[in-house]
Amino acid sequence: MMIKHLLSIDQLSTDQIDLILKTADSFGEVGTRTIKKVPALRGRTVCNLFFEPSTRTRLSFELAAKRLSADVITFTADSRTSVSKGESFKDTALTLQAMGLDAIVVRHTSGGAPKRLSQWVDASVLNAGDGANEHPTQALLDLYTIRRRFGGIEGLRIGIVGDIAHSRVARSNIKAMTKMGAQVTAIGPPTLLPVTAGSWGIDITTDLDALLPKLDIVYLLRVQKERQVEQFFPSLREYSLFWGLDRRRVDLMKPEALIMHPGPINRGVEVAGDLPEMERFIVADQVSNGIAVRASLMYLMLGGSQELPAPEHS
Amino acid sequence: MARILFKGGRLIDPASGVDTTSDVLVAKGKVVEVGTGLSSVEAETIDITGAVICPGFVDLHAHLREPGREDEETVASGSAAAARGGFTALGAMPNTDPVCDNAAVADKVSAAARRAGLCEVIPAGALTKGLEGRYITPVGEMVMCSAGVRMFTDDGKGVQDSRILRRAMEYIKGFDAICAEHCDDAALSEGGQMHEGYYSDLLGLKGIPAAAEDIALARDLVLARLTGVRFHALHVSTRGSVELIRQAKAQGVRVTAEVTPHHLILTDAQLQSFDPVNKVHPPLRAASDVEACRIGLADGTLDAIATDHAPHSPEEKEYEFELAPPGMIGLETALALMITEIVEGGVLGLTELVRRMSTLPAGILRLNGQGGPVTEGTAANLTVFDPAAEWVVDPNSFASKSRNTPFKGRKVKGKILHTVFGGDLVVRSGAIAAEYEAAVSAATAMAGGPR
């Protein structure tokens, strides 16, 4: 059985994650066809509800839904505008409820918004990132990407580098990766490592150089420039000096180790300007896999367990 | 005025050290006779065998929202909620719109309370004009006005500027009033949504460290000692605060402190629901803080139980977590929660609970006729409750205009049966007495329509 809403990685069993990733393989194949579309969700309506600016996640969900032949509508708003108009989040939810949607993909600056939304609507709610809480589909597409590259996830050593404290990508990925048996270490400035993260079943360190030779995957997080303004670290230069990935640090890595990043990349901060072009920097993989994984999820959550439709024509 | 004889109840009167079965006869606004085997032909006789009769509760800390947000609460509806909770007096916090930073607003609140006639309302005055932390309010005028303001605070926020706070304390001391603080170092708590700790890390919500409260309280205690003002710490919520107050008391600083039912019962684990009904300032803390508050209450470090009743409209609590305002209501659940958790949990005995909810807070505010003693000739402000009656918290049954309680659906023990205010039965068998109900609805309707 698949879940009704995807709000947090906590909801998924390892079997469910396996099923999502396995099904994503089929949708990856659909994406290579000339006609990249199957009728699995024909006549169903998916609403992209974005209360925070996003390009890649919104487009990825939109493409995924379209590959399944769903109708897609997009609603972008600023939650503060709703409040100033006197409308509560629940009012927005009830408006959407009245539209008879099948799925709502929601991105919000405020943590917990998808969870609250799921209590007010009949549609399936997919969390596309809520505050610093979770970004479960990012974690699933990352698992998928890792599995395609390494054949499995169990036993891999993964270092997540950067602003763990404010990162929903980190929270979802730490849950997902540890659940699938990877050994995860969080690395970053002491101010950006949650004090209690030691209880998450991961290791924590500030010393990137010491860890690099042991890692199979270096997962870089985007470092927002405002963190420096808020004095989480003294300067961007200091950040790069200790936690930025450059050629010297790449040379410390195992030859087969890979570099991942949820995007958008902050060149010159968490990663030296010329690195993203390297073969082992597999951001493009993550992006294209994202469509397949999100299609897989929507298919499993909305379409049930029916046979995956064959190509419309060969 | 009514003549009422309460027969067969257990009289708990901490002020006179009485805890025994005793009848209480009330007439003309006063307690006329206390003893066994009383009878009176003219009096309405109410058999309260098995129930407790005690001085009415006194809440040091409630938000009545009038003037400004009458859609959330009015002085009349808040008074009704208080009466149903067994309170016969409460301190109304000044963060209204306009702010209660002058005698005119204080008198308006006080007059509205007298019209409602359900309990005594003593407005607290703002410490600084507009709660902006810059200029001291006309303390003297507010103390002398008919509202009789006796506590000054910028509750909702702390005074950040130590120089201003020091001056305010010195000035307030001159009028023998109380300086009360919402202890918060705003630079540390800015943008915070919940207690900083395991759950804020887990949920990714911005934390408010316990240090924000501890640091502000430590400074306040230093200034209280320097100025000699009577200082009151509002809604103490951290282990560090309890320890600081314990030390200050041992050193002879004139400090009193209150703690809320929610800080004695709930932890930050509640926040996992992302339901803003659990959002409150100071935030629900870690289990170790709750434990420290319980110990502090038991050993007397924390003097009084206060509700911090903070009504909010349903739509505001249906905003996204970060946009929803902090606060929860508490007048109608305080006694039951305290019996269920604090008495049954072995923190305080029932007699001591009455002292912390009535006698002690009445003493802090120096209210005549409140908090007992329940003896011949004293003002008849009394509460009768059944300590064993069980009920389930249903916000829709509240007299308060708001519904924002995190205790909805909780099974509790201890029910208010009757409340006597100024000699009149304002709550009869758990409900607002008929003759007051119409007045409350009228006053509430008068106070303002939709926002």
Side-chain angles (χ1 to χ4, degrees):
Chain A
M1 261 314 283
M2 199 32 72
I3 47 173
K4 161 98 194 246
H5 307 289
L6 178 63
L7 310 173
S8 161
I9 289 292
D10 291 334
Q11 295 171 275
L12 295 170
S13 67
T14 52
D15 284 349
Q16 284 171 320
I17 291 175
D18 278 333
L19 177 63
I20 293 163
L21 303 190
K22 211 168 126 245
T23 311
D25 276 331
S26 314
F27 286 106
E29 183 269 318
V30 170
T32 63
R33 297 176 193 167
T34 318
I35 295 178
K36 301 176 178 60
K37 218 171 168 78
V38 293
L41 295 184
R42 185 184 281 161
R44 316 291 287 280
T45 311
V46 175
C47 176
N48 274 330
L49 178 62
F50 277 64
F51 285 97
E52 184 186 85
S54 154
T55 311
R56 55 194 68 213
T57 303
R58 186 165 59 77
L59 289 178
S60 178
F61 267 106
E62 188 168 334
L63 262 176
K66 285 180 169 167
R67 288 211 175 142
L68 296 165
S69 306
D71 295 316
V72 183
I73 57 170
T74 299
F75 180 107
T76 57
D78 178 340
S79 56
R80 283 169 204 280
T81 317
S82 308
V83 169
S84 65
K85 282 184 192 157
E87 188 178 67
S88 72
F89 188 48
K90 187 176 184 181
D91 292 329
T92 308
L94 296 182
T95 304
L96 295 172
Q97 168 65 12
M99 290 177 177
L101 303 166
D102 295 290
I104 301 173
V105 174
V106 60
R107 156 76 59 101
H108 206 295
T109 48
S110 184
K115 185 168 189 167
R116 295 284 282 165
L117 181 64
S118 73
Q119 292 158 357
W120 295 323
V121 298
D122 293 328
S124 283
V125 173
L126 287 91
N127 182 358
D130 62 328
N133 181 39
E134 283 222 39
H135 193 352
T137 61
Q138 177 72 44
L140 290 169
L141 75 88
D142 288 332
L143 289 184
Y144 182 72
T145 303
I146 293 167
R147 196 154 87 164
R148 277 177 71 97
R149 287 289 184 143
F150 286 92
I153 295 151
E154 195 167 355
L156 292 178
R157 290 207 64 172
I158 304 172
I160 302 181
V161 189
D163 183 0
I164 312 288
H166 301 94
S167 174
R168 55 191 172 213
V169 173
R171 280 187 181 72
S172 283
N173 257 322
I174 287 169
K175 288 175 182 179
M177 289 164 175
T178 52
K179 190 172 276 211
M180 301 309 281
Q183 195 184 338
V184 179
T185 305
I187 308 134
T191 44
L192 294 174
L193 296 170
V195 177
T196 68
S199 61
W200 296 352
I202 59 171
D203 296 317
I204 298 171
T205 179
T206 54
D207 190 349
L208 179 59
D209 284 2
L211 195 71
L212 276 175
K214 299 174 190 158
L215 296 176
D216 299 300
I217 293 156
V218 178
Y219 194 107
L220 303 172
L221 296 171
R222 179 178 168 79
V223 175
Q224 310 261 5
K225 292 197 168 108
E226 61 256 35
R227 301 291 171 232
Q228 191 266 316
V229 180
E230 296 164 12
Q231 287 294 291
F232 282 98
F233 46 83
S235 67
L236 291 174
R237 179 189 145 80
E238 174 110 345
Y239 183 90
S240 305
L241 206 57
F242 286 88
W243 300 283
L245 197 65
D246 56 10
R247 290 275 169 189
R248 182 185 67 81
R249 291 207 165 101
V250 170
D251 290 340
L252 295 176
M253 291 167 61
K254 290 191 209 171
E256 69 280 13
L258 300 177
I259 306 163
M260 296 173 74
H261 193 296
I265 293 164
N266 227 340
R267 283 182 200 252
V269 183
E270 69 265 15
V271 58
D274 57 341
L275 284 194
E277 281 68 41
M278 291 181 80
E279 192 102 331
R280 60 164 83 196
F281 206 109
I282 56 168
V283 174
D285 264 26
Q286 291 171 270
V287 173
S288 54
N289 289 339
I291 301 164
V293 169
R294 286 170 177 132
S296 159
L297 257 175
M298 282 193 266
Y299 169 76
L300 291 170
M301 288 172 66
L302 299 179
S305 52
Q306 77 221 41
E307 199 81 1
L308 184 63
E312 284 193 304
H313 70 120
S314 48
Chain B
M1 276 189 183
R3 207 174 160 84
I4 314 153
L5 175 61
F6 292 101
K7 290 232 16 130
R10 171 182 169 192
L11 173 64
I12 297 181
D13 181 26
S16 60
V18 166
D19 183 352
T20 183
T21 302
S22 186
D23 303 337
V24 177
L25 178 64
V26 170
K28 293 184 180 160
K30 303 243 186 255
V31 173
V32 175
E33 210 178 346
V34 177
T36 49
L38 301 188
S39 66
S40 167
V41 276
E42 312 99 285
E44 175 187 358
T45 301
I46 302 175
D47 181 2
I48 55 165
T49 306
V52 169
I53 182 164
C54 65
F57 302 140
V58 176
D59 189 3
L60 293 169
H61 193 150
H63 298 266
L64 299 187
R65 301 290 184 234
E66 182 182 346
R69 285 305 301 270
E70 290 85 352
D71 61 312
E72 296 180 330
E73 198 78 287
T74 64
V75 172
S77 68
S79 296
R84 285 200 56 197
F87 293 91
T88 53
L90 64 82
M93 287 294 132
N95 60 340
T96 47
D97 181 16
V99 171
C100 185
D101 58 6
N102 61 75
V105 175
D107 278 341
K108 184 185 184 314
V109 170
S110 183
R114 276 196 299 275
R115 274 197 302 277
L118 289 160
C119 76
E120 186 173 359
V121 173
I122 309 96
L127 224 140
T128 67
K129 284 180 188 165
L131 307 171
E132 286 172 355
R134 291 208 291 272
Y135 307 105
I136 303 170
T137 53
V139 167
E141 207 179 349
M142 284 192 273
V143 168
M144 298 305 175
C145 76
S146 63
V149 176
R150 51 199 80 197
M151 179 187 278
F152 292 86
T153 175
D154 277 1
D155 179 49
K157 37 190 177 178
V159 176
Q160 301 303 308
D161 185 323
S162 303
R163 181 181 63 96
I164 297 297
L165 184 64
R166 180 208 172 162
R167 293 283 176 253
M169 283 180 168
E170 286 171 334
Y171 197 80
I172 288 166
K173 179 175 185 260
F175 288 89
D176 200 20
I178 302 161
C179 173
E181 264 258 277
H182 177 145
C183 298
D184 178 49
D185 184 327
L188 282 174
S189 65
E190 192 192 359
Q193 300 295 318
M194 63 176 292
H195 174 63
E196 181 180 299
Y198 173 79
Y199 287 102
S200 68
D201 283 349
L202 193 69
L203 301 173
L205 286 175
K206 189 164 170 19
I208 299 171
E213 178 172 322
D214 300 351
I215 286 172
L217 176 63
R219 176 203 63 170
D220 290 2
L221 291 170
V222 168
L223 291 177
R225 186 211 297 264
L226 174 70
T227 61
V229 74
R230 282 198 286 147
F231 178 77
H232 180 70
L234 300 167
H235 43 46
V236 168
S237 72
T238 68
R239 187 168 56 177
S241 289
V242 174
E243 189 47 41
L244 284 165
I245 292 165
R246 191 175 283 131
Q247 288 168 9
K249 283 188 165 181
Q251 292 161 7
V253 178
R254 297 172 87 193
V255 54
T256 53
E258 66 182 38
V259 61
T260 69
H262 50 271
H263 288 122
L264 288 167
I265 298 171
L266 303 176
T267 69
D268 55 348
Q270 290 277 120
L271 278 296
Q272 291 174 96
S273 68
F274 284 106
D275 185 340
V277 79
N278 297 306
K279 183 171 172 176
V280 64
H281 284 172
L284 300 178
R285 300 287 187 186
S288 57
D289 294 302
V290 172
E291 186 53 29
C293 285
R294 287 181 172 219
I295 293 169
L297 181 67
D299 71 16
T301 300
L302 306 181
D303 302 272
I305 291 152
T307 65
D308 193 8
H309 179 81
H312 285 293
S313 67
E315 68 269 18
E316 284 184 327
K317 284 291 189 181
E318 283 161 359
Y319 290 159
E320 296 84 340
F321 197 92
E322 289 175 10
L323 302 176
M328 40 185 71
I329 55 175
L331 286 167
E332 290 168 83
T333 48
L335 172 77
L337 290 168
M338 287 301 93
I339 288 179
T340 312
E341 295 284 337
I342 296 305
V343 175
E344 306 243 303
V347 179
L348 296 179
L350 199 55
T351 310
E352 191 57 23
L353 177 69
V354 170
R355 213 164 76 84
R356 305 309 185 87
M357 290 186 71
S358 174
T359 314
L360 257 173
I364 290 170
L365 285 180
R366 296 184 179 164
L367 295 174
N368 287 322
Q370 297 282 356
V374 183
T375 49
E376 198 183 311
T378 59
N381 295 311
L382 302 166
T383 291
V384 178
F385 64 89
D386 179 349
E390 293 188 343
W391 55 289
V392 174
V393 176
D394 172 15
N396 290 323
S397 72
F398 286 170
S400 167
K401 288 188 82 173
S402 287
R403 303 286 174 256
N404 52 304
T405 171
F407 296 105
K408 177 182 175 179
R410 186 178 279 238
K411 196 172 167 194
V412 290
K413 206 180 215 187
K415 200 168 174 38
I416 301 295
L417 301 176
H418 315 290
T419 306
V420 176
F421 174 61
D424 281 342
L425 207 52
V426 292
V427 169
R428 184 189 282 273
S429 304
I432 297 294
E435 57 268 40
Y436 286 92
E437 203 159 23
V440 171
S441 336
T444 297
M446 286 267 291
R451 184 159 53 105

